[in-house]
Amino acid sequence: MADYYDPTGANSVFSSHMKDLPVFVGATAVADDARLAELGYRGEFKRDFVDALVRPRVWFSSIGIITHCSDPILITGGHLGMVWGWFIPCIFILCIAASMAELASSMPTSAGLYYFSAKLAPERYSALASWITGWANVTGQITLVCSIDYTVAQMITAAIAVGTDGAVVLGAGPTYGILVAILVVHGCICSAATRVLARMNLFYGILTAGATVAAIIALLVCSGDRKVSTRTAFTSFENNTGWGNDGWAFLLAFAAPMWSLTGYDSAAHISEEVSGAARAAPIAILVSVAAVGGMGWILIIAVSFVTVSVPDLLQTKLALPMGQLLLDVLGKRGMLAIWSFTIIAQFLCGAAQGVDASRVVFAFARDNALPGSQWWKRVNKHTQTPVNAVWLVITLSALCGLLGFSTTAFSSLAGASVIGLYTSYATPIFLRITSGRTKLVPGPFSLGKWYMPIGTVAVAWVAFTVLLLCFPPSQRTTAAEMNYAPVIVLVVFIFAAGSWMVSARNWFVGPVPNIGATCCETKEI
């Protein structure tokens, strides 16, 4: 495997040691499966996600950009919160992405993060590190599916309200019904063959980029002279939270980009279905954060310029203030045109995240870490996809969607997904800079000597944001307005910790090689 792994190399941060990979996809797939075998796993998926098709999907991560220039940013800090509340977190998220890219390049397997933790932790704590990382990642993945699809449901209700001139305003019940319908459709899509999903990813990436660019141009052109000054757009602060401290109110603005910039670990989770995974995965991770972060910031700057009054915008009866802003600037037809493309992009975003989540569940079940693992680790012999894992994700997402009956449903689901995912991101990075300093065999992408400072910044940032996301949106809150993100995470933590103490510590050993397993153990007959 010399073509893939060279433990020597330059010390530049992004020199990456990108080696030439085999030209032909077939030869690359053979090399990929050989490397996977070295990691302990038998190749069970078709590698239909060639490099050119996987990148556009991961470039835009798990989130449609347009919808998330909305409540979390606008409420907390006005124009200042919009612009700088997005830009500042992006710098630190790039550090997380760089550290993760190095790990994904070294160990390209669907097990991803919890596999990294197991291999980098001290041998005595390897299984525990894997257990913590895996459960945190599963929690984040499933709540992320729900939060994305819940946003699609909100967007549909907003479109109906605008289309009927406010005559039809759907409440929590119909919104939940739309959510369940979307989840069922996504379950069918995610159960399809890998080649179908690969083509969908390409379309999704192009549509997301196109809709975002169209929104930026339309807002700036159609607003005419109805724009705030540059000074106001970049520096006007408004504390629209229930917190008395303005500094804390500004910090809460970081929640939105943290949610928008999740899911880039998907490049690792679908690496067993990607050709040239050791090279494609790190590129996709880094470019996804840069693309979403950069394009999102440009869109937010445009939004800041055309937002004349933040308080007035927040009083909208639409589910998402961004819909009201587009309506105010573009009119009914213009808003519905942009909104329609955004709904489609966000819908495909949810489908793509469903794929990621099901692969995480499959990989964790493959190592017997989930209740009923023998069922969830099966691969359908016709589609060669983990169909059972897909429908487990859909079912659990529907249950999480019941939070839609609270007024803070979106922030609770988004917060839970960020806490779960970023905890799973930070754990192997922490182990990399501590016990795993000499254990990692660099892949085609390596941070060289910079892994330590970059990893330290990444871990510190995650610790800060996880604490931040546990706080309610106001100092005084009610049951309906409570931030339920820490509740969701705590329930899973109690279950996982209890399972570990009662039994799992006696039998769970971390990633289990399946090279010698028989086909009937993992495939449906």
Side-chain angles (χ1 to χ4, degrees):
M1 299 302 295
D3 289 339
Y4 284 86
Y5 293 90
D6 179 5
T8 64
N11 291 324
S12 173
V13 178
F14 288 71
S15 62
S16 307
H17 315 319
M18 291 296 182
K19 306 299 181 184
D20 292 332
L21 296 177
V23 175
F24 299 102
V25 173
T28 304
V30 171
D32 287 332
D33 285 341
R35 175 54 186 159
L36 185 62
E38 292 178 4
L39 297 175
Y41 295 118
R42 180 181 65 250
E44 299 182 77
F45 300 124
K46 290 183 178 179
R47 294 186 181 270
D48 286 332
F49 283 97
V50 296
D51 194 1
L53 293 179
V54 70
R55 286 185 194 172
R57 178 264 176 268
V58 183
W59 283 358
F60 295 99
S61 197
S62 62
I63 301 299
I65 300 171
I66 296 177
T67 54
H68 308 296
C69 306
S70 196
D71 290 84
I73 295 179
L74 294 175
I75 292 176
T76 52
H79 296 275
L80 183 72
M82 288 188 224
V83 176
W84 303 110
W86 180 281
F87 179 79
I88 293 173
C90 287
I91 298 174
F92 295 100
I93 295 171
L94 273 171
C95 294
I96 301 170
S99 297
M100 186 189 299
E102 180 181 50
L103 299 178
S105 180
S106 173
M107 297 171 277
T109 168
S110 291
L113 300 165
Y114 82 87
Y115 184 96
F116 305 159
S117 293
K119 298 304 177 183
L120 295 173
E123 186 174 355
R124 180 181 177 183
Y125 299 107
S126 176
L128 179 59
S130 180
W131 184 264
I132 293 172
T133 307
W135 275 102
N137 195 241
V138 168
T139 302
Q141 293 284 347
I142 293 174
T143 51
L144 187 57
V145 170
C146 183
S147 62
I148 293 172
D149 284 2
Y150 182 76
T151 306
V152 178
Q154 286 184 311
M155 294 176 68
I156 292 174
T157 62
I160 293 173
V162 172
T164 60
D165 296 319
V168 179
V169 179
L170 300 179
T175 301
Y176 180 74
I178 295 172
L179 167 65
V180 172
I182 294 169
L183 286 169
V184 170
V185 175
H186 280 166
C188 296
I189 294 174
C190 296
S191 299
T194 305
R195 63 180 179 276
V196 176
L197 300 174
R199 301 304 183 271
M200 183 193 72
N201 286 340
L202 179 62
F203 176 67
Y204 158 63
I206 294 173
L207 182 63
T208 300
T212 305
V213 172
I216 293 171
I217 296 174
L219 285 172
L220 294 176
V221 173
C222 296
S223 59
D225 295 330
R226 301 187 304 276
K227 297 184 182 74
V228 298
S229 67
T230 301
R231 181 184 180 88
T232 298
F234 283 90
T235 64
S236 176
F237 177 78
E238 298 177 38
N239 184 352
N240 294 298
T241 72
W243 292 92
N245 187 290
D246 289 345
W248 181 256
F250 172 72
L251 292 177
L252 291 176
F254 294 168
M258 289 301 294
W259 183 59
S260 297
L261 288 162
T262 53
Y264 45 88
D265 58 314
S266 61
H269 298 310
I270 62 172
S271 61
E272 293 182 30
E273 300 167 75
V274 176
S275 181
R279 178 177 178 272
I283 293 176
I285 290 171
L286 289 169
V287 176
S288 72
V289 173
V292 176
M295 190 171 290
W297 196 47
I298 294 172
L299 174 61
I300 284 175
I301 291 174
V303 168
S304 184
F305 271 105
V306 302
T307 302
V308 178
S309 173
V310 173
D312 288 347
L313 187 60
L314 293 175
Q315 292 176 4
T316 179
K317 293 182 180 180
L318 298 181
L320 296 169
M322 187 62 181
Q324 184 65 53
L325 180 64
L326 291 173
L327 179 62
D328 293 342
V329 177
L330 307 180
K332 179 178 177 180
R333 291 186 178 181
M335 178 271 184
L336 289 176
I338 295 292
W339 208 240
S340 297
F341 284 108
T342 306
I343 289 174
I344 297 172
Q346 189 77 350
F347 175 84
L348 294 176
C349 171
Q353 176 56 32
V355 173
D356 300 340
S358 64
R359 275 32 174 194
V360 171
V361 169
F362 162 80
F364 210 33
R366 182 170 59 182
D367 294 323
N368 302 312
L370 296 176
S373 288
Q374 70 277 8
W375 179 257
W376 313 126
K377 68 182 178 181
R378 292 185 179 181
V379 177
N380 186 280
K381 65 180 180 181
H382 299 294
T383 63
Q384 288 190 268
T385 54
V387 173
N388 293 351
V390 167
W391 288 101
L392 176 62
V393 168
I394 297 303
T395 301
L396 294 177
S397 295
L399 291 175
C400 290
L402 292 172
L403 280 175
F405 291 95
S406 73
T407 57
T408 57
F410 170 77
S411 60
S412 295
L413 290 169
S417 64
V418 171
I419 292 172
L421 287 174
Y422 274 92
T423 298
S424 68
Y425 295 174
T427 303
I429 297 174
F430 173 76
L431 294 170
R432 165 73 171 117
I433 62 176
T434 53
S435 60
R437 290 193 297 270
T438 60
K439 292 184 177 182
L440 188 76
V441 178
F445 178 90
S446 174
L447 294 177
K449 69 178 183 181
W450 292 95
Y451 82 91
M452 179 62 75
I454 291 175
T456 301
V457 170
V459 172
W461 176 254
V462 171
F464 165 71
T465 53
V466 166
L467 179 64
L468 183 73
L469 289 166
C470 288
F471 282 84
S474 175
Q475 283 178 294
R476 297 179 180 178
T477 188
T478 64
E481 297 175 345
M482 178 65 183
N483 175 16
Y484 288 97
V487 177
I488 297 173
V489 175
L490 184 61
V491 168
V492 177
F493 174 80
I494 291 174
F495 175 80
S499 298
W500 176 262
M501 294 301 295
V502 172
S503 66
R505 61 177 178 172
N506 297 320
W507 52 263
F508 182 73
V509 295
V512 179
N514 70 350
I515 292 295
T518 60
C519 293
C520 62
E521 289 179 328
T522 55
K523 296 199 176 189
E524 292 183 358
I525 303 300

